[in-house]
Amino acid sequence: MTPVILLAEAEKSAEVTHWGARIGWLVGLVLFIALVYWLMREGWKWRGTLQGDLPELPGAPERTGPARLSMSGRYHGSTTAGQWLDRIVAHGLGTRSRAELTLTDAGLEVERPGAADFFVPTAALRGARLDKGIAGKVLTEGGLLVVTWAHGDKLIDSGFRSDRAAEHTEWVDTLNQMINDTEGAR
């Protein structure tokens, strides 16, 4: 007989599963994943602490006037202007959420269910453009509406994506026209 057949004829085969070792590895893996998530959370909190000098976000005034444009979509976050990977997390600006944007003569109102709403006065608006990405979100070219605005002594880029992407161009044109009209009136 060949050796292969002799192995199959053995009375008892070797034990395959070592449950103690498997459970040990599983517990170790779960603890490692928990540690990684805890470190990520601490990093997020630390970033918020470093950005603590950012003033509170302004709320919308009682009367903003009639809406020029409105949009339903997603808010993807805010970054330091011109640095698309430097996410701002202070005051909830780092929290992604659904968003309802309303543009009036008074400014841009951002309503976010489940996150802090904020208002950007017309005087604080600095520009609007179509872009392909902001911290944590990359889309096709022109798939993201990025609004640049001043808050305190910091310029901020905020990224939005409409449920109907065809609206983005109208938003860019209208926002930039409003900014030009405001600067011309100064």
Side-chain angles (χ1 to χ4, degrees):
M1 285 196 201
T2 63
V4 174
I5 296 173
L6 289 176
L7 288 175
E9 291 177 354
E11 290 181 23
K12 183 177 177 188
S13 61
E15 191 173 318
V16 175
T17 305
H18 299 285
W19 286 105
R22 281 198 180 194
I23 291 172
W25 276 104
L26 184 62
V27 168
L29 180 64
V30 168
L31 289 174
F32 177 73
I33 291 171
L35 174 69
V36 168
Y37 277 109
W38 180 78
L39 289 172
M40 288 170 53
R41 183 171 178 263
E42 290 301 308
W44 187 267
K45 287 172 35 181
W46 178 250
R47 182 175 276 278
T49 301
L50 291 176
Q51 297 168 348
D53 62 337
L54 195 66
E56 286 292 323
L57 297 174
E62 288 184 27
R63 295 179 183 239
T64 58
R68 284 186 172 201
L69 291 174
S70 62
M71 175 174 77
S72 178
R74 295 212 42 95
Y75 168 77
H76 288 290
S78 292
T79 63
T80 302
Q83 299 177 9
W84 73 284
L85 291 176
D86 186 22
R87 183 186 297 267
I88 296 175
V89 301
H91 308 299
L93 287 175
T95 306
R96 289 186 185 176
S97 62
R98 292 281 309 155
E100 297 289 331
L101 275 74
T102 306
L103 181 64
T104 65
D105 290 333
L108 177 65
E109 185 175 357
V110 181
E111 295 178 20
R112 302 185 306 155
D117 298 343
F118 62 96
F119 180 77
V120 181
T122 303
L125 291 170
R126 296 296 183 259
R129 68 181 188 279
L130 295 178
D131 212 332
K132 63 180 176 180
I134 199 158
K137 186 65 175 180
V138 178
L139 300 162
T140 59
E141 189 67 43
L144 194 66
L145 169 66
V146 177
V147 178
T148 303
W149 52 290
H151 185 56
D153 61 350
K154 189 171 215 140
L155 279 179
I156 297 173
D157 283 342
S158 294
F160 305 94
R161 171 103 172 138
S162 174
D163 291 336
R164 294 174 302 280
E167 294 177 329
H168 289 172
T169 305
E170 181 181 10
W171 272 83
V172 169
D173 294 342
T174 304
L175 276 164
N176 286 329
Q177 185 60 46
M178 275 182 66
I179 293 164
N180 290 337
D181 292 346
T182 303
E183 288 175 356
R186 288 185 202 169

